Amino acid sequence: MNYTLLSSPLQGFTDFRFRNAQNKYFGGIDTFYSPYIRLNGKMIIKPSYERDLLPENNMGLEVIPQVITNDAEEFLFVAKYVQQLGYKELNWNLGCPYPMVTKSGMGSGLIAHPERINQILDRAHSETDILVSMKMRLGYENSEEILDVLPILDRYPIKNIAIHARIGKQLYKGGVNLDAFQLCVDHSKHKLYYNGDITSVAKFKEMQERFPSIDHWMIGRGLIADPFLPSMIKKDSTEYPDNKIELFTAFHDTLYGIYSESLSGSTHLLLKMYHLWEYFSLTFSDPHKVLKNIKKAKSIRNYEATVASIFKSERFKR
Ligand SMILES: Cc1cc2nc3c(=O)[nH]c(=O)nc-3n(C[C@H](O)[C@H](O)[C@H](O)COP(=O)(O)O)c2cc1C
């Protein structure tokens, strides 16, 4: 069956720099969601959001912008803004689990308020012609919350609903709830996308077998940990290319180079790289040791030497 692979957004990771580098060195992703725009009460788009979405920074990439809000005016403002940049679709985040977001009734904290969702969708569909898609969890407190939202979504020409099969309260702990995802498939007339814990070719195949009607798959953390993953899924192969470490080195050096230009000071740069390595290290032979060494590198010189030695020893092990 034909299928589409989408990069699930990770704030702080999948910005335009990451998207371009992933696409250049590894490919395999059909569509990238950009991390969400949050207005924080002011009708102003921050320059960092703007940079992330400018068409010239996303040449050759299929990108869908995302917003997080519980306010119709904000939704309409962001919709108009992304349309001006040439985008046809706006994805609405009802998935974010962090208390700072959910306590103010946004992200997965909005799922328990179907009427509010209805009001916003009503205005979005009567006052703009933007295509709306959703990204949701199953609920915040429990996985039944979404079942009261799906009939409301059925009233609108929503493009699709991507579901991360966890509840907000879980954050990222525990497993995905596949039975609850199946219930959503059974109770929605819309096209559903699956999201959650696709970290290997084997896991992808397991999900494909479990949900034969799903043909859109979103990969979040698994793409940072292993940027080869989407192309391996597409090739239906668990074999890495012979030049795996060379490719990964080029990818790393590209990101490192761009971030050293765009971030101010070595502390910021090293922190950014450390956060990336929290994921990168997972596909190295000894993740714990790799991350420990990166953490110990407190200067640019140390960091560069540490990375060179990690790549060298990984090459030697193959
Ligand atoms: C650090 C971090 C930042 C994230 N930022 C966003 C975001 O901006 N928008 C969004 O829809 N999801 C965001 N997510 C959720 C992921 O897109 C994805 O739904 C989730 O990690 C489950 O998929 P996975 O198991 O493939 O990672 C974020 C997740 C993490 C860990």
Side-chain angles (χ1 to χ4, degrees), residues 8-11 13 34-36 66 91 93 98 135 137 164 166 172 195-198 218-222 279:
S8 200
L10 265 75
Q11 197 80 241
F13 292 90
S34 65
Y36 62 68
Q66 189 186 62
N91 183 262
N93 179 313
Y98 294 112
K135 179 164 179 286
R137 289 200 181 210
H164 173 197
R166 281 191 172 83
Y172 289 90
N195 173 229
D197 295 2
I198 298 178
M218 292 175 64
I219 308 178
R221 293 163 298 168
Y279 289 99

Side-chain angles (χ1 to χ4, degrees), residues 94-95 111 134-138 146 149 153 161-164:
L94 269 69
I111 303 174
M134 315 281 297
K135 179 164 179 286
M136 311 177 63
R137 289 200 181 210
L138 299 163
I146 195 171
V149 180
L153 302 187
I161 310 166
I163 299 179
H164 173 197

Side-chain angles (χ1 to χ4, degrees), residues 12 15-18 48 51 57 254-270 272-273 276:
D15 65 357
F16 71 96
R17 303 172 179 99
F18 178 92
S48 60
R51 251 193 320 275
N57 289 336
T254 299
L255 286 181
Y256 181 62
I258 319 177
Y259 287 129
S260 55
E261 280 167 25
S262 62
L263 295 172
S264 57
S266 60
T267 312
H268 279 133
L269 176 61
L270 294 177
K272 180 88 179 176
M273 296 315 292
L276 281 165

Side-chain angles (χ1 to χ4, degrees), residues 167-268:
I167 54 171
K169 213 168 65 171
Q170 270 183 279
L171 297 171
Y172 289 90
K173 296 181 203 110
V176 282
N177 186 341
L178 300 182
D179 291 338
F181 181 78
Q182 181 64 52
L183 269 183
C184 297
V185 174
D186 298 339
H187 285 88
S188 177
K189 71 166 198 189
H190 288 302
K191 188 167 192 63
L192 298 196
Y193 295 5
Y194 176 84
N195 173 229
D197 295 2
I198 298 178
T199 50
S200 65
V201 177
K203 197 82 200 170
F204 172 75
K205 288 180 147 182
E206 198 186 308
M207 292 299 115
Q208 234 187 354
E209 270 173 38
R210 170 90 192 235
F211 301 112
S213 68
I214 299 296
D215 62 3
H216 283 67
W217 306 91
M218 292 175 64
I219 308 178
R221 293 163 298 168
L223 180 69
I224 324 285
D226 189 355
F228 290 92
L229 180 59
S231 66
M232 285 163 68
I233 290 176
K234 292 260 171 87
K235 287 188 203 127
D236 190 16
S237 163
T238 50
E239 291 286 309
Y240 285 94
D242 289 340
N243 60 346
K244 175 183 178 186
I245 296 299
E246 289 75 9
L247 272 175
F248 192 84
T249 304
F251 170 68
H252 168 276
D253 291 355
T254 299
L255 286 181
Y256 181 62
I258 319 177
Y259 287 129
S260 55
E261 280 167 25
S262 62
L263 295 172
S264 57
S266 60
T267 312
H268 279 133

